[in-house]
Amino acid sequence: VVCPLVLSGCPQLLCDFGISDLCETYGIIYIANGADEGSTPVDSSEYQEGDTVTALTNSGGLALSGYSFDGWNTAANGAGTSYSVGATFKMGPADVTLYAQWSEEQEEATYNVTYDDNGSDSGSVPTDSTSYQQGATVPVKNNTGNLARTGYSFVGWNTAANGSGTSYTTGTTFTVGSSNVTLYAQWSSNPTYTVTYNENGADSGFLPTDSTSYQQGATVSVLNNTGNLARTGYSFTGWN
């Protein structure tokens, strides 16, 4: 074999002939870098300068509590060259140490659903103690605490107190966005009725007046003949 004075990349042919001083090999070492469970992958290959190296997977299940595995780096603090799993690089003229890299896990934000009585004068709002992640489906609560408001009927919930938001009837569902949700009780005023007195032919006096507005089912007291209604030749005997 004729050896050139300048060798590039240590040709395999020279290695085959046992000229070891021209064929130095290098290894890859994987470091757990703080992992509290699992084991580092092992690369048993010997590489010559210029060989292509593939960064190994986290085959040993390395893990660090509160963190996610984020590949490898030539520096423990991540200040060196980063390699994701499966990435390739060229071997240099020295062993390479690759340190596991860790990213702190972020807790996914959660949101609450709160119910507001919005002017009720009795009963209590339902309570939803669940913390929901964005995109979760929320069932709208019934009026479990028998919220009531004099002169009104409960008709459901709305995202705005004045009813200008999104309305939900009890038992429906909605999808959580990226903020807490307040649902306000919605009230519909009940119809009211009046009592009117008619003189029915009286020729003196005046009618009593009842200025009260009554809801269905209310008890009404019939007024006396407070205005001394009279009709010639007749006696007042009541109302019909």
Side-chain angles (χ1 to χ4, degrees):
V1 176
V2 178
C3 297
L5 294 176
V6 178
L7 298 174
S8 174
C10 188
Q12 183 63 39
L13 179 62
L14 298 180
C15 295
D16 292 342
F17 278 86
I19 308 176
S20 59
D21 59 329
L22 298 176
C23 303
E24 189 170 358
T25 58
Y26 308 99
I28 308 294
I29 302 170
Y30 290 85
I31 302 295
N33 196 21
D36 47 26
E37 61 178 277
S39 58
T40 55
V42 176
D43 189 340
S44 58
S45 298
E46 294 184 352
Y47 299 96
Q48 298 169 30
E49 183 179 357
D51 284 350
T52 298
V53 180
T54 300
L56 297 181
T57 63
N58 183 13
S59 56
L62 284 177
L64 177 61
S65 298
Y67 292 80
S68 298
F69 174 75
D70 199 27
W72 309 98
N73 194 285
T74 55
N77 65 359
T81 303
S82 293
Y83 298 107
S84 58
V85 168
T88 60
F89 60 93
K90 295 293 184 181
M91 193 70 189
D95 292 333
V96 175
T97 300
L98 295 178
Y99 298 86
Q101 297 297 291
W102 306 101
S103 296
E104 188 172 5
E105 293 178 346
Q106 301 295 320
E107 289 189 13
E108 190 166 358
T110 58
Y111 305 98
N112 299 319
V113 177
T114 304
Y115 290 83
D116 188 291
D117 67 358
N118 196 21
S120 72
D121 46 29
S122 64
S124 58
V125 292
T127 301
D128 189 339
S129 57
T130 303
S131 293
Y132 297 97
Q133 295 178 358
Q134 185 174 358
T137 298
V138 180
V140 177
K141 299 279 187 182
N142 294 324
N143 184 13
T144 53
N146 296 318
L147 285 176
R149 181 180 177 187
T150 303
Y152 293 82
S153 296
F154 173 81
V155 293
W157 309 96
N158 194 284
T159 54
N162 65 0
S164 63
T166 303
S167 293
Y168 299 107
T169 55
T170 58
T172 58
T173 61
F174 67 92
T175 302
V176 172
S178 57
S179 61
N180 295 324
V181 176
T182 300
L183 295 179
Y184 298 86
Q186 296 298 290
W187 305 101
S188 176
S189 59
N190 296 330
T192 57
Y193 306 95
T194 60
V195 177
T196 304
Y197 292 83
N198 188 286
E199 62 183 15
N200 196 22
D203 49 25
S204 64
F206 56 89
L207 292 166
T209 301
D210 189 339
S211 58
T212 303
S213 294
Y214 297 97
Q215 294 179 23
Q216 184 176 352
T219 299
V220 181
S221 297
V222 178
L223 297 181
N224 295 322
N225 184 11
T226 53
N228 296 317
L229 282 176
R231 181 180 178 188
T232 303
Y234 292 83
S235 297
F236 175 80
T237 59
W239 307 96
N240 192 286

